[in-house]
Structure formats: C-alpha cells, structure tokens
C-alpha cells in the first residue's frame, strides 16, 4: 500500500511539474507558441503562394492547349462546311473535331437551307448540348464586333471555366470567319483538379511537418534558454531560505552566463556581509548575556535589601525617617525596574541565540487568563469574555508572558476597563484568537508599524518611562515560537486592539531532544510592561 501511494504521489508530482511548465504564463509555452505561429505563418504563406502559382500554371497550360486545338479544328474542319450545312454534316464534322489529342466534346450549331437551326454534337460527356453553354458565353460568341485597324475579325474565340456537379470544365466558343456554323467546345479539367488536390495535400502535410519541427526546435531552444533561468530561480530561492553558500555553475559567454556570474558575485558579497554582521553581532549578544547574568547576583542581594526597606516603609511602627522615605521609595522602584530589565534582556538573549524552547501543557485558556490577571491584581480593571473548556496545547509560562505584556500595556497606555475576549477560529477550530482592547486614545498611525520593535517608545519626551521597551517585542517572539502572530490596530469604536493568534496544538514546533533545561524555563514573566 505504501509503494502504491508513493508511486501515485510520484506520478502526481511529475504531472504537476509538467503542467507547471506548460501553464499559459510560462516562458516555455510562450516560446513554443511564438515559434509555432511564425512557422505556421511562413509555411501557410509559402504553401499558398506555391499552390496558387502551380494552379495557374497547370490550368493555363491545359486551357491554352485545348483552346489552341479547338481553334485549329475550327479553321481546318468547320470552315470547310458549307454556309448552310445539314445536320449530318455537322454531326460528322463534330465527331472528327472531337478526335483531337485534347479529347474535348464539340457542339456545332448552324442553319440549313430552309433557315432551320440544326445541331451536330460529338456525343461525348452524356451529350454536349447548347444548354450546357453559359448564356453569357453564347451572347459574347454571337455578338458581332466592329471591324477596324485594331480588329480585323467580327468574331473571336471566347472561353469560360464552369463547375458542374463538383467537376470543373472549360467551355469555349467561336464562329467560322466568313460565315458558317458556330462551334462550342467542352473539356473536363478533372485530371488537373486531382493533380492540384494532391499538391494541396502535399503542401498541407509539409506545413504540418514544419509546424511540428518548429515546435521541437522551440522546445529545444526553450530548454537551452530556460535551464540557466531555472537554475537561477532555484539559486535565488535557496538564497532567500538563508543558504548563503549557494552558487551557480557558469558555462558559456552569453548574457545568461553573465547573469549567473553576477548572481554568484552578489551571493558571495551577501555571504561576506552577513558573516561580517554576525561576527560583529555575536560579541554584542555575548556581552548582553554575560552582563545580564553578572547583574543577577548583585541584583538578588539588592532586591532582598529593597524588600526589607519596603517592609519598613509599610510597617505601622513608622521607624523610617520621613526625610529619607522618598529616596527609599525611589530606590525600591528603580530596583524593580532594573530587575525587570535584566530579566527581559535575558529573555531576548535566549531568542537571539535560538535556545528558547517550548514546554507544552494542556491548558484551559480562560483559566490561564484568569490566573494571569489575578496574579497581578488586575481583576477590577479587566473584563474577561471567555468560555470555559477551550483547551490548547501551549507553553503556559510563555502564554502568561504574552498576556501580561498585552494586558499591562493596555492598562498603562489605554486605561481601564480593558476587555479580553477569546474565540476559536480556523479550519475545524484549529486556532485560538485572543483580543485585548482598551478604551484609550488609540495608537498613532505612524507608531503602529513600530509597536513591536525593541526599545521603541512612542513618545521621545518620555525616555525614562517605567517600561523597558522590550515587553511587546518579547510577547511577539513568544507568539512566533508558538507558530502564532500578534497584530496591533485601532478599533473603530475607539481604543487600541492587540490580537493574538495561536495554534491550538503547538506540538509540531517542539524539538524532542531539547525540550527542557535551564534555557527553556529560566527567568520570570516580568511585569509585562512594554512601551507602545
């Protein structure tokens, strides 16, 4: 069964590849069509001209030979008849005239001594009668032309081509000069027509072969031209995927070879530039990571001292000197801020180093949001619209970081009440959508594209605001590691809306070999305060 499925998939993939190469927008198909049209136009034109020239030559040759013999027979035999011949004389003379090498039928028309019209026919072609002669031709033969210097005879030889029951014929007629019968000739052009049909078939076959040959040549030319283009496209895709060591094989000296050389030079320059940037960036990341870790030890001691000082401030004994109380409160506040900044820097360092991992658990989204709000004492400022029982396989700690940053940012810059709504979306409910909306003034349009940038603050006049400028960036990184996304927008009813989209099952994004460890679970959620 597996073999059959593999064969079917291979056939389907091959068929898909052929169809993709022959799609109407492909350069290959356009080259073949253009070559075919050019070849078809040239072949049809050449065949048409050749057919027309041969047709005229064949018909003219047969026509001239028949007319020449008929005229000669009229001069030799018909002119020897009396002015008023009998029917027997006309019949005998017509039979003699028809015995010519051209094998045509003859009809002689005259008047006997009593003024009666008599006919004589050779009897060929089922009896050649006067009704077989076109009326226009009879009128032209009977019409007497004026005799002058340019016209020495009152009657001339006239001819016409006709088609009777699909067979072409040549009809001619003239009068005997000096008086006598009128003669008509009927000759079949069927042999010539068959020769012309054979010629037309031959030309048609030659045109078809030319068209097939042009298509094959176009295919060969397209393959020659498009193979380097295809390699260039594959190389560009690999380069876009981050494989900066991609290079193209260069052969030839044409424009496509120059394009391949240019691509290789660009890829080499890009690889060098990225390597230089990585070399410069690595010490910076190492410095931030080392600094964050080094700061944690003294911060732990400082935090313990500030907690003691804070307890003294809040105690009822009032042992703290009122003169130094503001300074102590400032130290406590800045220590918390420094601690949050260090934790955020460590989290960012994990993302940059690629060591951040998911520790998945099946969680109820409504319970998780409630726990996040309750842990930070936001119950009175947040409205939750979420049904119980919507479960997802996610990393609870990272989801808590995302929610804390989004809700905290909304409370800080938008003001309460903040509304958090949860719904299921996607095919078969495969996606969780969490919207966090505040009722503040919204986000300026020029700020929207930068709200998730690191250390970005909307107001340059507040460089020492409480947040670190990393909260929303960390929230976005945590959404990305889940395979999700966060978008920011302004609601038509007022206020800003942050929309978090996460897959309900993030198991495919985890790596079995490195799911746990200090890098995956180090650090706290922080206060979640970012600057928008």
């Amino acid at each position: 069964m597996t073999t059959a499925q593999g064969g079917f998939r291979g056939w389907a993939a091959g068929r898909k590849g052929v169809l993709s190469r022959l799609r109407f927008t492909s350069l290959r198909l356009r080259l073949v069509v253009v070559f075919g049209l050019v070849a078809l136009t040239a072949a049809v034109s050449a065949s048409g001209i050749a057919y027309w020239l041969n047709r005229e030559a064949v018909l003219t040759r047969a026509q001239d030979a028949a007319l020449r013999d008929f005229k000669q027979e009229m001069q030799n035999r018909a002119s020897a008849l009396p002015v008023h011949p009998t029917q027997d004389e006309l019949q005998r003379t017509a039979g003699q005239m028809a015995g010519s090498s051209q094998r045509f039928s003859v009809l002689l028309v005259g008047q006997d001594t009593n003024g009666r019209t008599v006919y004589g026919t050779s009897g060929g072609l089922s009896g050649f009668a006067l009704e077989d002669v076109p009326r226009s031709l009879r009128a032209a033969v009977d019409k007497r032309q004026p005799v002058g210097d340019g016209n020495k005879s009152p009657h001339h030889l006239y001819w016409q081509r006709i088609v009777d029951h699909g067979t072409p014929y040549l009809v001619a007629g003239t009068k005997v000069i000096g008086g006598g019968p009128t003669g008509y000739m009927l000759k079949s052009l069927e042999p010539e027509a068959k020769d012309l049909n054979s010629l037309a078939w031959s030309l048609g076959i030659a045109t078809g072969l030319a068209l097939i040959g042009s298509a094959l040549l176009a295919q060969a030319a397209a393959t020659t031209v498009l193979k380097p283009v295809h390699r260039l496209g594959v190389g560009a895709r690999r380069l876009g995927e981050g494989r900066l060591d991609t290079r193209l094989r260069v052969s030839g000296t044409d424009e496509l070879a120059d394009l391949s050389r240019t691509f290789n030079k660009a890829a080499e320059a890009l690889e060098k530039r990225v390597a230089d940037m990585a070399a410069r960036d690595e010490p910076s990341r190492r410095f931030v990571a080392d600094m964050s870790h080094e700061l944690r030890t003294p911060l732990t001691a400082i935090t313990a001292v500030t907690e003691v000082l804070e307890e003294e401030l809040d105690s009822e004994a009032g042992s703290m000197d009122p003169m130094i109380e503001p300074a102590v409160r400032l130290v406590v506040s800045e220590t918390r801020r420094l601690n949050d900044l260090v934790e955020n820097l460590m989290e960012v360092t994990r993302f940059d180093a690629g060591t951040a991992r998911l520790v998945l658990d099946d969680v109820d989204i409504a319970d998780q949001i409630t726990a996040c709000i309750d842990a930070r004492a936001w119950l009175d400022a947040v409205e939750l619209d979420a049904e119980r029982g919507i479960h997802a396989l996610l990393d609870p700690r990272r989801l808590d970081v995302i929610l804390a940053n989004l809700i905290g940012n909304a409370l800080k810059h938008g003001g309460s009440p903040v509304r958090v709504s949860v719904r299921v979306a996607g095919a078969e409910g495969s996606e969780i959508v969490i919207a966090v909306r505040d009722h503040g003034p919204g986000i300026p349009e020029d700020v929207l594209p930068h709200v998730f940038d690191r250390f970005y603050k909307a107001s340059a006049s507040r460089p020492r605001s409480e947040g670190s400028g990393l909260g929303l960036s960390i929230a976005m990184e945590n959404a990305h590691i889940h395979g999700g996304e966060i978008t920011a927008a302004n609601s038509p009813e007022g206020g800003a809306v942050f929309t978090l989209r996460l897959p309900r099952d993030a198991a495919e994004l985890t790596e079995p070999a490195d799911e746990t460890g200090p890098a995956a679970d180090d650090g706290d959620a922080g206060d979640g305060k970012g600057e928008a």
Side-chain angles (χ1 to χ4, degrees):
M1 185 62 183
T2 304
T3 304
Q5 287 181 350
F8 175 76
R9 290 172 182 169
W11 174 83
R15 182 184 179 191
K16 184 177 180 181
V18 172
L19 292 178
S20 65
R21 290 195 297 270
L22 293 180
R23 64 185 186 277
F24 289 103
T25 56
S26 68
L27 184 58
R28 181 185 300 273
L29 182 58
R30 280 184 283 176
L31 284 173
V32 173
V33 170
V34 170
F35 268 75
L37 289 177
V38 171
L40 182 62
T41 302
V44 169
S45 301
S47 299
I49 294 173
Y51 178 79
W52 181 79
L53 292 176
N54 281 276
R55 178 179 181 276
E56 290 301 316
V58 170
L59 293 179
T60 300
R61 184 169 58 250
Q63 172 183 295
D64 291 346
L67 293 177
R68 185 172 56 251
D69 280 12
F70 176 66
K71 186 176 181 180
Q72 188 68 33
E73 291 295 329
M74 287 292 294
Q75 291 177 354
N76 295 338
R77 299 185 185 275
S79 61
L81 291 171
V83 178
H84 299 288
T86 63
Q87 185 173 0
D88 292 338
E89 290 174 335
L90 292 177
Q91 191 77 25
R92 184 173 57 256
T93 303
Q96 293 172 352
M97 293 174 62
S100 134
S101 60
Q102 293 298 317
R103 311 302 298 173
F104 45 69
S105 298
V106 178
L107 173 65
L108 297 177
V109 182
Q111 289 185 343
D112 59 10
T113 55
N114 298 323
R116 188 180 60 180
T117 301
V118 292
Y119 303 92
T121 178
S122 61
L125 296 175
S126 301
F128 180 31
L130 191 61
E131 292 76 12
D132 297 329
V133 181
R135 189 180 300 274
S136 59
L137 181 62
R138 281 182 280 166
V141 171
D142 293 337
K143 185 177 181 180
R144 185 180 182 86
Q145 304 292 333
V147 179
D149 293 338
N151 184 25
K152 297 182 180 180
S153 175
H155 298 285
H156 298 278
L157 175 65
Y158 297 94
W159 58 270
Q160 184 176 345
R161 294 174 191 165
I162 62 173
V163 178
D164 184 20
H165 297 92
T167 303
Y169 292 95
L170 173 67
V171 183
T174 187
K175 282 182 174 291
V176 175
I177 301 175
T182 301
Y184 294 99
M185 178 267 292
L186 179 69
K187 175 175 174 56
S188 173
L189 298 178
E190 187 175 7
E192 287 77 10
K194 290 182 178 179
D195 292 341
L196 292 175
N197 287 336
S198 299
L199 176 63
W201 274 104
S202 300
L203 293 175
I205 294 173
T207 300
L209 293 177
L211 186 61
I212 295 174
S214 67
L216 295 177
L217 289 176
Q219 176 68 15
T223 302
T224 303
V225 173
L226 294 180
K227 186 175 290 184
V229 176
H230 175 69
R231 289 201 299 264
L232 185 63
V234 173
R237 282 194 297 271
R238 291 178 178 175
L239 204 63
E241 293 169 356
R243 301 167 65 178
L244 302 182
D245 58 341
T246 300
R247 299 293 185 271
L248 299 180
R249 180 172 56 85
V250 180
S251 59
T253 58
D254 55 7
E255 290 81 357
L256 292 173
D258 292 339
L259 183 60
S260 299
R261 293 189 187 94
T262 303
F263 176 88
N264 289 340
K265 291 179 181 178
E268 183 178 357
L270 180 61
E271 184 180 19
K272 185 176 183 301
R273 180 70 60 84
V274 172
D276 293 342
M277 292 177 61
R280 289 195 299 267
D281 196 40
E282 181 60 28
S284 300
R285 287 201 301 267
R286 188 180 302 111
F287 171 75
V288 173
D290 294 343
M291 181 191 68
S292 302
H293 281 284
E294 291 297 328
L295 286 175
R296 288 189 92 183
T297 301
L299 269 178
T300 302
I302 295 173
T303 301
V305 174
T306 55
E307 288 177 354
V308 173
L309 293 176
E310 190 174 16
E311 290 177 359
E312 289 292 331
L313 289 173
D314 295 337
S315 65
E316 297 180 357
S319 58
M320 183 69 65
D321 189 343
M323 296 296 293
I324 65 172
E325 182 177 342
V328 173
R329 292 189 182 276
L330 179 61
V331 169
V332 171
S333 175
E334 290 301 315
T335 302
R336 287 178 177 173
R337 182 172 179 272
L338 182 59
N339 188 66
D340 294 338
L341 178 59
V342 171
E343 293 295 337
N344 287 338
L345 286 174
M346 293 188 65
E347 187 75 5
V348 168
T349 303
R350 295 188 198 99
F351 285 119
D352 290 343
T355 59
R357 296 291 182 268
L358 293 176
V359 180
L360 301 181
D361 192 10
D362 185 70
V363 297
D364 187 299
I365 300 299
D367 291 342
Q368 185 70 24
I369 298 175
T370 302
C372 175
I373 297 172
D374 185 45
R376 292 161 180 84
W378 292 338
L379 289 175
D380 295 336
V382 178
E383 298 177 357
L384 178 60
D385 179 15
E387 296 182 1
R388 305 288 178 180
I390 300 178
H391 287 262
L393 188 61
L394 303 170
D395 187 327
R397 185 187 71 83
R398 297 190 181 278
L399 179 59
D400 183 80
V401 171
I402 297 173
L403 294 172
N405 278 289
L406 296 182
I407 299 174
N409 190 77
L411 288 172
K412 178 180 177 183
H413 298 289
S416 60
V418 172
R419 182 176 179 83
V420 181
S421 59
V422 180
R423 61 184 176 90
V424 178
E428 299 180 357
S430 61
E431 190 178 57
I432 298 293
V433 179
I434 303 175
V436 179
R437 178 193 168 193
D438 60 47
H439 291 78
I443 305 173
E445 293 297 327
D446 59 330
V447 175
L448 274 175
H450 306 286
V451 292
F452 297 104
D453 293 349
R454 293 179 182 178
F455 300 106
Y456 181 81
K457 298 184 180 182
S459 176
S461 63
R462 297 186 291 110
R464 283 193 51 79
S465 59
E466 184 181 352
S468 63
L470 290 172
L472 291 179
S473 174
I474 292 175
M476 178 65 81
E477 294 289 351
N478 279 297
H480 285 168
I481 201 173
H482 279 91
E485 186 72 28
I486 305 176
T487 57
N490 288 317
S491 174
E493 293 80 12
V497 179
F498 286 83
T499 304
L500 169 66
R501 296 178 179 272
L502 296 175
R504 296 189 69 172
D505 187 357
E508 296 181 356
L509 302 173
T510 59
E511 297 182 8
D514 240 351
E515 298 240 329
T516 60
D521 202 19
D522 190 14
D524 301 325
D527 65 356
K529 296 174 183 178
E531 286 288 342

